mmCIF file of all heavy atoms in Angstrom:
data_model
loop_
_atom_site.group_PDB
_atom_site.id
_atom_site.type_symbol
_atom_site.label_atom_id
_atom_site.label_comp_id
_atom_site.label_asym_id
_atom_site.label_seq_id
_atom_site.Cartn_x
_atom_site.Cartn_y
_atom_site.Cartn_z
ATOM 1 N N GLU A 29 -5.878 -3.511 -37.014
ATOM 2 C CA GLU A 29 -7.242 -3.043 -36.759
ATOM 3 C C GLU A 29 -8.225 -4.207 -36.879
ATOM 4 O O GLU A 29 -9.159 -4.339 -36.103
ATOM 5 C CB GLU A 29 -7.618 -1.934 -37.746
ATOM 6 C CG GLU A 29 -6.904 -0.624 -37.443
ATOM 7 C CD GLU A 29 -7.133 0.436 -38.523
ATOM 8 O OE1 GLU A 29 -8.044 0.249 -39.357
ATOM 9 O OE2 GLU A 29 -6.388 1.434 -38.539
ATOM 10 N N HIS A 103 -0.646 1.788 -3.185
ATOM 11 C CA HIS A 103 -1.084 0.680 -2.341
ATOM 12 C C HIS A 103 0.021 -0.349 -2.143
ATOM 13 O O HIS A 103 0.900 -0.512 -2.986
ATOM 14 C CB HIS A 103 -2.291 -0.014 -2.972
ATOM 15 C CG HIS A 103 -3.445 0.909 -3.203
ATOM 16 N ND1 HIS A 103 -4.104 1.525 -2.171
ATOM 17 C CD2 HIS A 103 -4.021 1.346 -4.349
ATOM 18 C CE1 HIS A 103 -5.054 2.298 -2.671
ATOM 19 N NE2 HIS A 103 -5.022 2.218 -3.992
ATOM 20 N N SER A 133 7.314 3.806 -9.824
ATOM 21 C CA SER A 133 6.364 3.722 -8.714
ATOM 22 C C SER A 133 7.091 3.374 -7.422
ATOM 23 O O SER A 133 6.773 3.902 -6.353
ATOM 24 C CB SER A 133 5.305 2.658 -8.984
ATOM 25 O OG SER A 133 4.673 2.907 -10.203
ATOM 26 N N PRO A 246 18.019 -12.770 -12.499
ATOM 27 C CA PRO A 246 17.986 -12.132 -13.820
ATOM 28 C C PRO A 246 17.044 -10.923 -13.895
ATOM 29 O O PRO A 246 17.227 -10.049 -14.738
ATOM 30 C CB PRO A 246 17.520 -13.252 -14.753
ATOM 31 C CG PRO A 246 16.804 -14.222 -13.873
ATOM 32 C CD PRO A 246 17.503 -14.149 -12.552
ATOM 33 N N ALA A 268 16.928 -4.909 -2.763
ATOM 34 C CA ALA A 268 16.601 -6.230 -3.306
ATOM 35 C C ALA A 268 17.699 -6.718 -4.242
ATOM 36 O O ALA A 268 18.056 -7.895 -4.245
ATOM 37 C CB ALA A 268 15.259 -6.183 -4.036
ATOM 38 N N LYS A 280 25.785 -16.713 4.232
ATOM 39 C CA LYS A 280 25.191 -16.608 5.571
ATOM 40 C C LYS A 280 25.635 -15.328 6.259
ATOM 41 O O LYS A 280 24.987 -14.853 7.184
ATOM 42 C CB LYS A 280 25.596 -17.824 6.418
ATOM 43 C CG LYS A 280 24.912 -19.127 6.006
ATOM 44 C CD LYS A 280 23.500 -19.230 6.581
ATOM 45 C CE LYS A 280 22.650 -20.270 5.859
ATOM 46 N NZ LYS A 280 21.984 -19.753 4.628
ATOM 47 N N TYR A 281 26.782 -14.774 5.829
ATOM 48 C CA TYR A 281 27.321 -13.540 6.397
ATOM 49 C C TYR A 281 27.741 -12.635 5.241
ATOM 50 O O TYR A 281 28.338 -13.119 4.280
ATOM 51 C CB TYR A 281 28.549 -13.811 7.259
ATOM 52 C CG TYR A 281 28.301 -14.779 8.387
ATOM 53 C CD1 TYR A 281 28.454 -16.147 8.193
ATOM 54 C CD2 TYR A 281 27.932 -14.310 9.660
ATOM 55 C CE1 TYR A 281 28.229 -17.038 9.231
ATOM 56 C CE2 TYR A 281 27.705 -15.200 10.695
ATOM 57 C CZ TYR A 281 27.848 -16.563 10.487
ATOM 58 O OH TYR A 281 27.620 -17.436 11.508
ATOM 59 N N SER A 352 48.646 1.944 -0.796
ATOM 60 C CA SER A 352 47.956 3.183 -0.465
ATOM 61 C C SER A 352 47.095 2.973 0.789
ATOM 62 O O SER A 352 46.395 1.972 0.916
ATOM 63 C CB SER A 352 47.087 3.585 -1.661
ATOM 64 O OG SER A 352 46.062 4.452 -1.236
ATOM 65 N N THR A 370 32.165 -14.297 11.525
ATOM 66 C CA THR A 370 32.146 -15.760 11.433
ATOM 67 C C THR A 370 32.916 -16.416 12.569
ATOM 68 O O THR A 370 33.046 -17.637 12.597
ATOM 69 C CB THR A 370 32.794 -16.196 10.107
ATOM 70 O OG1 THR A 370 34.095 -15.569 9.998
ATOM 71 C CG2 THR A 370 31.947 -15.802 8.919
ATOM 72 N N LYS A 392 46.857 -16.898 -2.369
ATOM 73 C CA LYS A 392 45.463 -17.298 -2.667
ATOM 74 C C LYS A 392 44.956 -16.597 -3.929
ATOM 75 O O LYS A 392 44.263 -17.197 -4.758
ATOM 76 C CB LYS A 392 44.569 -16.966 -1.461
ATOM 77 C CG LYS A 392 43.137 -17.433 -1.566
ATOM 78 C CD LYS A 392 43.008 -18.931 -1.812
ATOM 79 C CE LYS A 392 43.254 -19.746 -0.559
ATOM 80 N NZ LYS A 392 43.073 -21.223 -0.836
ATOM 81 N N ASP A 432 37.454 15.281 -7.299
ATOM 82 C CA ASP A 432 36.054 15.143 -7.694
ATOM 83 C C ASP A 432 35.802 13.773 -8.332
ATOM 84 O O ASP A 432 36.259 13.489 -9.435
ATOM 85 C CB ASP A 432 35.718 16.278 -8.674
ATOM 86 C CG ASP A 432 34.248 16.342 -9.008
ATOM 87 O OD1 ASP A 432 33.710 15.331 -9.500
ATOM 88 O OD2 ASP A 432 33.631 17.403 -8.778
ATOM 89 N N GLU A 461 47.045 16.680 0.542
ATOM 90 C CA GLU A 461 48.448 16.608 0.164
ATOM 91 C C GLU A 461 48.921 17.959 -0.384
ATOM 92 O O GLU A 461 48.173 18.668 -1.058
ATOM 93 C CB GLU A 461 48.671 15.468 -0.839
ATOM 94 C CG GLU A 461 48.430 14.107 -0.191
ATOM 95 C CD GLU A 461 48.712 12.930 -1.098
ATOM 96 O OE1 GLU A 461 48.241 12.909 -2.252
ATOM 97 O OE2 GLU A 461 49.399 12.005 -0.631
#
Side-chain angles (χ1 to χ4, degrees):
Chain A
E29 287 173 14
H103 302 296
S133 305
K280 288 279 162 275
Y281 303 88
S352 158
T370 52
K392 185 56 77 178
D432 188 302
E461 293 183 311

